[in-house]
Amino acid sequence: MKEQAMISHPTRNDLKSNAKKVSIELLNARLADAIDLALITKQAHWNVKGPHFIAIHEMLDGFRKDLDEHVDTVAERVAQLGGAALGTSQVVVEASKLKPYPTDIAKTRDHIAALIDRYADAAKSVRSAIDEAGEAGDADTADIFTAYSRTLDKSLWFLEAHIQESE
């Protein structure tokens, strides 16, 4: 990602400036991934086909709703710290660490497999951000990432359950 100008707005938030800088960078990085994951989820929602269509279709709508809430929380935390949330499509295309989603698939199993990969990657990045925000001294940002991580892990569990068989 090209270096984004660090916009700073005055705030009486008493976090140290380095903690704010680190957190704003982490938040914007995970914001790009979250917006991308929300779009990926909708792509699958619109295009999934198969015998479990309605269950998957409705499940993915719920995932999207959850993602949208976390996107908003993450972006608002950037603003609370005096930064500018970077959520345009141009920034997301450039900054997302998620693999591009295939647009030539329709089968349920193909969508589930593609979603599992991307939800797992997003969750791994968010867990790393929890630690980095904590090390920087920003417990509130770490807490935001922790809540997001729980949501991603739950969604990943739901996705994986669709391809697992009990013995």
Side-chain angles (χ1 to χ4, degrees):
M1 178 164 110
K2 284 189 250 176
E3 187 66 28
Q4 297 288 335
M6 180 60 118
I7 296 173
S8 181
H9 303 285
T11 177
R12 302 247 342 239
N13 182 306
D14 68 346
L15 276 179
K16 293 181 179 170
S17 63
N18 184 57
K20 288 179 190 175
K21 181 181 184 305
V22 168
S23 289
I24 289 168
E25 289 174 4
L26 286 170
L27 288 158
N28 271 320
R30 300 297 62 87
L31 178 62
D33 292 350
I35 292 168
D36 194 15
L37 190 59
L39 293 170
I40 285 167
T41 300
K42 216 44 164 169
Q43 177 70 24
H45 163 86
W46 293 322
N47 293 291
V48 69
K49 306 283 186 248
H52 303 288
F53 164 77
I54 195 64
I56 303 294
H57 184 79
E58 290 178 355
M59 179 181 71
L60 295 178
D61 252 352
F63 288 4
R64 173 62 189 258
K65 181 180 177 198
D66 291 343
L67 286 167
D68 287 345
E69 289 178 20
H70 288 289
V71 162
D72 201 45
T73 300
V74 168
E76 288 176 354
R77 181 65 179 163
V78 173
Q80 292 163 18
L81 296 176
L86 305 175
T88 66
S89 59
Q90 295 81 10
V91 169
V92 171
V93 165
E94 191 174 316
S96 177
K97 300 298 181 204
L98 301 180
K99 293 180 285 192
Y101 194 80
T103 57
D104 61 347
I105 59 176
K107 293 179 182 175
T108 300
R109 70 176 171 268
D110 295 336
H111 280 290
I112 297 294
L115 289 167
I116 286 170
D117 286 346
R118 285 145 187 90
Y119 272 79
D121 289 347
K124 181 178 179 181
S125 294
V126 170
R127 273 190 287 283
S128 177
I130 294 167
D131 294 338
E132 291 178 59
E135 289 168 11
D138 186 353
D140 291 338
T141 294
D143 185 58
I144 287 168
F145 285 137
T146 299
Y148 182 31
S149 174
R150 281 193 302 268
T151 297
L152 289 170
D153 284 349
K154 184 176 180 180
S155 298
L156 180 59
W157 168 51
F158 280 25
L159 290 165
E160 289 176 334
H162 279 278
I163 61 168
Q164 296 167 339
E165 298 283 335
S166 61
E167 298 182 69

